Amino acid sequence: MRSRLWYVVAGVIALAGLVTAALYVVPRIGMVDQGAIRIVMPGSAVLALDTPGSYTIFHERRSVVDGRYYASDSVDGLKVMLADPRGAPVALVEPRMSSSYQMGNREGRAILAFDAAEPGRYRLSASLASGATEPKVVLAVSQGLVGGIIQLVFTTLGIAFGSLGVAGLLVAVVAWRRSKMVATPAAGS
């Protein structure tokens, strides 16, 4: 491990790690929010929820739905209601934590959360206090959107920094061994 060739190996490991991180993140970044259901409100829509559990409702300040761009900075006065598959009201609560995201043309912030006790077709409706139909806002309903983003970021960083760490360790070991090699003949003279 005293050859300078090991420095080249370390460089290849670092570069391969960075390329692997890029190859990991690029195809997945567009799919992180694929499971989100986007609805233009005020109005009413049916949500087909396949998995029971906790869901978050995001207000997407900037969004594209069916090829149309929407921008709304506020959801002031928007009253949101949700009914389970049997028509019973589902409690909408404040999200447990503040979360937001920005991906491409989409920019969202968590505004409500709910627990779906069972899979099925839930009816989401929203209205403005005045009964007006404008301004239009986009709500995105998702299970684990922010968690998916966090997982993607940390996995990508793990791949990149892991390979850089291995390459750095290799460089340090080679440099240490080479320094011992240089010091050894001088001590023997």
Side-chain angles (χ1 to χ4, degrees), residues 85-155:
R86 292 178 300 285
V90 176
L92 296 173
V93 297
E94 287 185 29
R96 292 184 191 112
M97 62 183 254
S98 175
S99 57
S100 61
Y101 59 89
Q102 186 172 356
M103 294 182 301
N105 284 341
R106 300 186 197 289
E107 180 184 336
R109 181 178 53 88
I111 58 170
L112 295 167
F114 66 92
D115 287 321
E118 60 184 308
R121 298 172 64 81
Y122 288 72
R123 175 154 304 275
L124 180 73
S125 58
S127 61
L128 293 168
S130 63
T133 58
E134 296 289 334
K136 299 288 187 192
V137 299
V138 175
L139 300 181
V141 179
S142 177
Q143 187 177 39
L145 175 65
V146 173
I149 294 169
I150 291 170
Q151 180 182 3
L152 179 64
V153 167
F154 280 112
T155 302

Side-chain angles (χ1 to χ4, degrees), residues 38 60 62-70 105-106 138:
R38 289 181 175 77
E60 286 197 341
R62 311 283 178 261
S63 189
V64 176
V65 178
D66 295 328
R68 185 170 176 195
Y69 178 76
Y70 292 89
N105 284 341
R106 300 186 197 289
V138 175

